[in-house]
Amino acid sequence: ISQCDSAAAFAREVKDAAQIIEQDETEQNWDKIGRELQRVAALFRGGAYEFEVEVVAAIRPLTIPIVNAMKSERSRLSFEAIELVSTLAGLGRAYEPLLRNFFSTLLELCTRTSKILVARAQAAVMRTIEETRLAAVVPHLRDATKDKSQSLRTVASTAILRVLNILSRAELNSKAADIEEIIKNTGRDSNPAVRQISRQVFEAYQLLFPERVDAYVTLLRFNLRLTRHPASLLH
């Protein structure tokens, strides 16, 4: 942890770190990029988390190089970038301007073959959900449940269950249709573990949106009949 007691100090330090972070990754500089990412995370933990607006303003210009570091084939660099993104979730709801690029990249990393990388990315996904409490994660998770990657679909189903368990109805009201699509996708997943989680998601959905359940189940049954016996529904 590096003490940071003013927004100006954070902006100054990040501007200095950016000279390295913005460089294209090479054999000669990748470890330096990692150290600068560590430095920014330490400054945030050291007090900069109090300056939400200024932190977002300083980090946004670095979105692309941070995402590139997250995707690096060098695991140490990737882990440092993931840790920074995870740490920044401490911004809470103020994290929203950073969510789209960082959260989607975390989900993308869950398709990789490295179990260690997937575990790190999943932990960051869960931390982002828990610390930001942003319903804006739901459409990202909806799309992830349709991905061809089994590991990503598993992460996404676990993540949406966590969302439903910690966010309120009011927070999720605008995402009800997305949640229903997630239940449909996961309920017919080829992976039995995902289908099992889907049942828990449906139970949580019932508690949050009891008035939508009957219409939703009726629609699911209709779609199932249409899939199995399309001709019979044309008369």
Side-chain angles (χ1 to χ4, degrees):
I1 297 177
S2 299
Q3 186 172 352
C4 183
D5 54 12
S6 75
F10 182 77
R12 185 169 56 251
E13 293 284 349
V14 171
K15 185 177 180 179
D16 184 55
Q19 297 180 51
I20 301 297
I21 294 172
E22 291 177 331
Q23 293 179 9
D24 292 335
E25 177 189 339
T26 67
E27 183 64 38
Q28 289 72 38
N29 71 359
W30 69 266
D31 55 335
K32 295 178 182 178
I33 295 172
R35 285 196 296 271
E36 294 304 322
L37 295 172
Q38 272 187 319
R39 175 185 173 189
V40 174
L43 289 165
F44 182 82
R45 290 191 293 265
Y49 57 83
E50 297 182 0
F51 316 114
E52 297 171 350
V53 173
E54 292 82 1
V55 167
V56 171
I59 295 296
R60 287 185 76 172
L62 295 177
T63 297
I64 292 176
I66 291 173
V67 165
N68 288 341
M70 292 169 73
K71 294 180 178 181
S72 174
E73 294 298 327
R74 295 180 172 89
S75 58
R76 280 175 51 196
L77 178 56
S78 178
F79 294 167
E80 293 295 353
I82 292 170
E83 179 61 24
L84 171 59
V85 166
S86 182
T87 298
L88 290 171
L91 287 165
R93 295 187 185 280
Y95 187 81
E96 187 156 16
L98 306 174
L99 180 76
R100 183 173 65 87
N101 289 306
F102 290 161
F103 195 75
S104 61
T105 303
L106 289 173
L107 291 173
E108 181 182 336
L109 293 177
C110 292
T111 68
R112 296 281 185 90
T113 55
S114 167
K115 291 182 179 180
I116 297 175
L117 177 58
V118 170
R120 295 273 187 119
Q122 180 175 11
V125 164
M126 300 304 282
R127 184 174 177 183
T128 300
I129 290 168
E130 291 165 1
E131 296 203 20
T132 68
R133 296 181 63 93
L134 290 170
V137 302
V138 175
H140 294 283
L141 297 175
R142 177 202 63 205
D143 293 344
T145 61
K146 296 182 285 188
D147 197 88
K148 64 182 180 179
S149 166
Q150 181 171 292
S151 61
L152 174 55
R153 298 197 311 273
T154 303
V155 169
S157 59
T158 302
I160 193 61
L161 180 60
R162 188 63 181 141
V163 170
L164 268 59
N165 283 337
I166 67 173
L167 270 67
S168 68
R169 174 194 170 95
E171 291 170 314
L172 290 169
N173 209 36
S174 65
K175 307 300 181 186
D178 292 316
I179 295 166
E180 290 167 354
E181 185 173 347
I182 289 171
I183 294 169
K184 181 183 70 174
N185 295 340
T186 56
R188 61 189 183 189
D189 197 278
S190 60
N191 184 349
V194 172
R195 296 198 302 272
Q196 183 175 3
I197 298 169
S198 183
R199 287 192 286 272
Q200 297 176 60
V201 173
F202 181 69
E203 290 169 2
Y205 162 80
Q206 285 181 298
L207 294 175
L208 286 166
F209 302 103
E211 79 288 351
R212 294 181 65 103
V213 172
D214 288 345
Y216 176 58
V217 171
T218 298
L219 179 61
L220 282 181
R221 287 173 177 166
F222 178 84
N223 287 338
L224 182 61
R225 288 173 58 206
L226 184 62
T227 301
R228 291 179 175 177
H229 307 289
S232 67
L233 295 176
L234 298 178
H235 305 286

